Amino acid sequence: MNLFEMAESTQMKAVFVEEFGGAENMKIKTDAPVPRVVAGKVLVRLHAAGINELELRIRSRGWRGFITPFVLGMDGAGVVETVGDGVMTCKPGDRVYVCQPITGTYAEYCLADADRVYKLHDKLSFEEGALLPIPYFSALRALTRAHFQRGDSVLVQGASGAVGLAAVQLARGLGASRVFGTAGSERGRQIVREMGADDVFDYKERDFKETVKAAIGPKGVNVILETNVDVNFHFDLEIVSKHGHIVIVGKRGITSCDPQEMVTKESTVTGSALFFCDTEARLDMHDTLYRGVEEGWLKPYIGGRFKLDDVIASHRDIETRSGATGKTVLTIE
């Protein structure tokens, strides 16, 4: 069945990647067909879409079966337009956010499986809701993989990025004893502090490692969330505590280690990927986020705003900026 079959001749604006390559390969179409709603699916009228760095890599060189042309976007927020037969979890008019829908979110509408649509708290705007799915779900998945528990100390490597900021805020809100972060720009470090970190370190400083060691103390840190393992792995193994956990959520190149470094501390190194979460796990994560908003300790940081029509400029801005400072959103009018 063609999910882009016309529904009552309704058309929408959407951003298509027509061939892999530079940002200029994204084309805005105003006559794209609205996805057709079938059983078990939800059609959402989007008001904002989040931009994830993975989407820039997909646009540039493809990833896991993406075939051009396609609409980019893995998360967004808006209002339920229509639900298919059998959908009981939401209804038309509900404010929602979506995580990894069937059709991309750089568009006025997206189609999602019902278990990928979640209630958006009234305290959050659509723009803030569009920041939740990939970064916050990914950060919660990583903390779970780390067996994080209240009272643990946490270090987030690359804390000024979208997942890093989410991890800092979640660790603080869920009861970490101390939260540390690293970031390469002064603005990035300022934002990490605002999100709840006790100490934020400049990884570009010459005495960076000594500064971190002095701050965390001789016992080390219980949990390390690592966004750039090929750069930091040896240092992570050095500063993780006895029985501590290093969770890998990102890398840019090849790395290696001496397993003896893990043996002497009985530490663990594990990977974390949101794509392996099942429906129940995602719902649990949503409940945690909703509770965090309700209790007042969760508030997403908007790193930048662009209109859907300026999508090319938004990607170029991310590609050329000097340091990560949160997540950018596209507003959809």
Side-chain angles (χ1 to χ4, degrees):
M1 179 177 293
N2 184 1
L3 294 177
F4 283 97
E5 181 178 334
M6 297 289 287
E8 298 181 358
S9 300
T10 301
Q11 297 177 327
M12 68 175 182
K13 182 185 293 186
V15 178
F16 283 83
V17 176
E18 297 193 330
E19 59 180 289
F20 298 118
E24 67 277 2
N25 286 359
M26 295 186 292
K27 306 298 181 184
I28 300 173
K29 296 185 178 181
T30 59
D31 59 351
V34 173
R36 182 183 179 190
V37 182
V38 294
K41 314 301 180 187
V42 179
L43 182 68
V44 177
R45 170 68 168 95
L46 293 165
H47 290 273
I51 300 179
N52 299 287
E53 290 199 10
L54 175 58
E55 291 156 12
L56 275 66
R57 296 198 292 272
I58 293 171
R59 183 217 72 214
S60 176
R61 56 182 182 269
W63 188 71
R64 291 191 177 183
F66 278 83
I67 300 173
T68 58
F70 62 91
V71 180
L72 267 177
M74 294 185 287
D75 47 17
V79 176
V80 174
E81 182 82 3
T82 310
V83 300
D85 291 343
V87 174
M88 306 295 292
T89 53
C90 61
K91 63 184 184 305
D94 285 352
R95 297 173 78 251
V96 297
Y97 65 95
V98 298
C99 180
Q100 300 169 311
I102 298 168
T103 64
T105 56
Y106 291 18
E108 291 179 318
Y109 294 89
C110 75
L111 186 70
D113 289 312
D115 67 346
R116 299 277 185 168
V117 179
Y118 308 92
K119 181 180 179 181
L120 178 62
H121 200 289
D122 290 339
K123 292 182 180 180
L124 296 184
S125 68
F126 290 119
E127 292 178 358
E128 291 168 330
L131 301 180
L132 289 177
I134 301 299
Y136 279 83
F137 279 23
S138 295
L140 270 176
R141 174 72 171 179
L143 287 171
T144 300
R145 297 281 291 155
H147 303 285
F148 168 82
Q149 55 187 336
R150 182 175 293 275
D152 280 347
S153 57
V154 177
L155 168 65
V156 181
Q157 296 275 34
S160 64
V163 175
L165 288 178
V168 167
Q169 193 172 73
L170 287 163
R172 171 59 69 209
L174 294 173
S177 59
R178 299 182 71 189
V179 181
F180 307 99
T182 65
S185 71
E186 180 54 42
R187 177 57 180 156
R189 292 190 291 276
Q190 177 184 345
I191 298 168
V192 175
R193 293 186 191 97
E194 292 172 357
M195 298 297 274
D198 296 291
D199 288 296
V200 189
F201 312 107
D202 182 357
Y203 58 75
K204 296 179 181 179
E205 283 190 350
R206 185 176 63 180
D207 298 329
F208 162 68
K209 292 183 179 180
E210 289 70 24
T211 302
V212 173
K213 289 178 183 178
I216 65 176
K219 291 185 178 180
V221 64
N222 301 125
V223 173
I224 299 176
L225 268 62
E226 182 54 73
T227 63
N228 199 6
V229 67
D230 45 303
V231 174
N232 301 315
F233 198 21
H234 292 284
F235 186 49
D236 291 340
L237 290 169
E238 184 179 351
I239 61 175
V240 71
S241 69
K242 185 177 181 180
H243 302 152
H245 303 277
I246 300 170
V247 182
I248 300 169
V249 296
K251 73 175 190 66
R252 295 182 181 178
I254 302 300
T255 190
S256 62
C257 76
D258 179 358
Q260 186 61 32
E261 295 181 86
M262 289 177 276
V263 171
T264 55
K265 294 182 179 180
E266 293 189 321
S267 58
T268 63
V269 178
T270 187
S272 179
L274 177 60
F275 298 97
F276 297 119
C277 285
D278 59 19
T279 297
E280 184 178 357
R282 291 194 306 271
L283 186 57
D284 286 343
M285 291 189 289
H286 161 70
D287 290 342
T288 298
L289 300 185
Y290 198 89
R291 175 168 56 85
V293 176
E294 186 69 23
E295 294 175 354
W297 55 262
L298 192 152
K299 184 75 170 176
Y301 175 82
I302 299 173
R305 293 179 177 87
F306 288 83
K307 294 183 178 180
L308 186 65
D309 288 340
D310 298 322
V311 63
I312 293 175
S314 73
H315 275 221
R316 287 176 174 164
D317 177 72
I318 295 170
E319 290 172 329
T320 59
R321 65 191 180 188
S322 59
T325 51
K327 181 172 176 175
T328 300
V329 296
L330 295 171
T331 59
I332 304 169
E333 299 175 351

